[in-house]
């Protein structure tokens, strides 16, 4: 099973709202990722967690706050977002052996619209 | 920094072969990937190739790697309308982090 699940599928929020995106995998992977994808563009890496520790933050604004409560779950907390943050947010996971070149498996994404 | 380029658009007729091309700049690439993205969906891993290989075949998919020219291609045999999607090549960017550098994506349109 190479499934990564994400909830919700769609989210509409105002600029003053607080919401969270959720990602889950049960493949025993120890590395998890958040990507942001704008229309007609490739995914852009936001955060990487390795063994439940934040290992990469690609200079993402603080209105995005990641959390990895356990090895199967990854959350992205959203607060005071801007309309330009509207995008498809993709979660991915990989084995996390740390040897490099690991295959990343992606979830279906959450389509976020900020009004 | 590392750069991965693809042509933006490819149109083929159903039943023909499709060839999607990708060039990259990282001379220390170890793994190169092909992902497929259908409208409104996430990325589906299609195949990958290790840098010590020249070719990899998986059913209708053939990946060719020319490491000297830093050129990667994906050939889809007997292209079907269900193959219409955006195809991304991705280069694993080395070091302690498992960072993928994605190409710009190629929109494949299959005409019936």
């Amino acid at each position: 099973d190479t499934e990564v699940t994400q909830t919700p599928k769609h989210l509409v929020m105002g600029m003053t709202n607080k919401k969270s995106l959720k990602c889950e995998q049960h493949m025993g992977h120890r590395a998890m990722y958040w990507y942001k994808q704008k229309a007609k563009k490739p995914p852009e890496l936001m955060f990487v967690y390795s063994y439940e520790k934040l290992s990469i933050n690609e200079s993402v604004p603080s209105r995005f706050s990641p959390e990895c409560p356990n090895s199967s779950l990854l959350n992205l907390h959203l607060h005071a977002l801007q309309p330009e943050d509207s995008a498809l947010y993709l979660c991915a996971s990989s084995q996390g052996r740390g040897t490099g070149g690991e295959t990343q498996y992606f979830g279906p994404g959450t389509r976020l619209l900020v009004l | 920094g590392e750069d991965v380029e693809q042509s933006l658009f490819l149109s083929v007729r159903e039943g023909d072969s499709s060839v999607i091309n990708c060039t990259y700049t990282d001379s220390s690439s170890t793994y190169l990937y092909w992902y497929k993205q259908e409208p409104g969906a996430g990325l589906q891993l299609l195949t990958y190739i290790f840098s010590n290989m020249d070719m990899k075949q998986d059913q209708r998919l053939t990946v060719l790697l020319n490491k000297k020219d830093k050129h990667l291609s994906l050939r889809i045999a007997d292209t079907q309308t269900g193959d219409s999607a955006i195809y991304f090549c991705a280069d694993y960017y080395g070091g302690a982090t498992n960072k993928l550098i994605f190409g710009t994506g190629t929109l494949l349109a299959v005409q019936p």
Side-chain angles (χ1 to χ4, degrees), chain B:
Chain B
E2 167 64 357
D3 194 26
V4 181
E5 296 283 341
Q6 298 177 239
S7 52
L8 285 180
F9 183 73
L10 176 65
S11 179
V12 299
R13 291 206 175 275
E14 195 172 17
D16 288 349
S17 292
S18 309
V19 179
I20 302 171
N21 294 302
C22 173
T23 58
Y24 59 96
T25 58
D26 181 14
S27 56
S28 59
S29 292
T30 51
Y31 290 88
L32 294 135
Y33 298 85
W34 284 104
Y35 285 89
K36 174 184 178 184
Q37 187 174 35
E38 296 182 19
L43 272 69
Q44 175 193 350
L45 176 68
L46 287 178
T47 187
Y48 64 91
I49 189 166
F50 188 51
S51 59
N52 68 355
M53 300 168 67
D54 299 323
M55 185 181 88
K56 181 178 180 181
Q57 189 150 0
D58 185 358
Q59 298 182 330
R60 292 191 298 124
L61 305 179
T62 303
V63 179
L64 294 178
L65 175 60
N66 183 327
K67 210 174 172 188
K68 175 174 165 288
D69 294 338
K70 297 180 187 162
H71 182 265
L72 180 73
S73 67
L74 174 70
R75 178 176 179 268
I76 305 173
D78 186 25
T79 313
Q80 303 296 307
T81 54
D83 295 323
S84 295
I86 297 177
Y87 290 79
F88 291 100
C89 66
D91 177 22
Y92 162 67
Y93 190 63
T97 61
N98 192 28
K99 187 170 178 176
L100 282 179
I101 306 296
F102 284 91
T104 44
T106 299
L107 174 61
L108 174 64
V110 182
Q111 312 298 326

Side-chain angles (χ1 to χ4, degrees), chain A:
Chain A
D1 182 11
T2 56
E3 190 179 27
V4 177
T5 59
Q6 290 186 244
T7 54
K9 289 186 75 170
H10 303 276
L11 179 62
V12 180
M13 61 186 289
M15 289 189 283
T16 58
N17 292 157
K18 283 186 182 180
K19 296 284 185 185
S20 297
L21 309 184
K22 182 178 171 180
C23 173
E24 197 163 1
Q25 56 86 16
H26 295 287
M27 296 179 275
H29 289 175
R30 302 307 298 273
M32 296 185 77
Y33 312 77
W34 281 115
Y35 288 84
K36 174 183 177 180
Q37 187 181 25
K38 301 284 273 185
K40 301 188 193 310
K41 296 288 186 185
E44 298 172 12
L45 183 66
M46 300 174 73
F47 302 103
V48 181
Y49 272 83
S50 180
Y51 289 81
E52 293 94 72
K53 287 187 171 31
L54 184 64
S55 59
I56 296 180
N57 177 339
E58 291 284 294
S59 303
V60 178
S62 60
R63 57 186 185 268
F64 295 92
S65 175
E67 180 198 18
C68 189
N70 60 56
S71 59
S72 301
L73 277 177
L74 184 67
N75 298 321
L76 186 62
H77 303 298
L78 314 172
H79 173 53
L81 294 194
Q82 302 297 308
E84 60 264 28
D85 297 321
S86 298
L88 182 68
Y89 287 83
L90 293 163
C91 174
S93 71
S94 68
Q95 284 192 320
R97 293 165 300 180
T99 55
E102 297 175 359
T103 301
Q104 294 184 24
Y105 296 92
F106 284 79
T110 293
R111 189 160 297 281
L112 174 67
L113 177 61
V114 182
L115 300 175

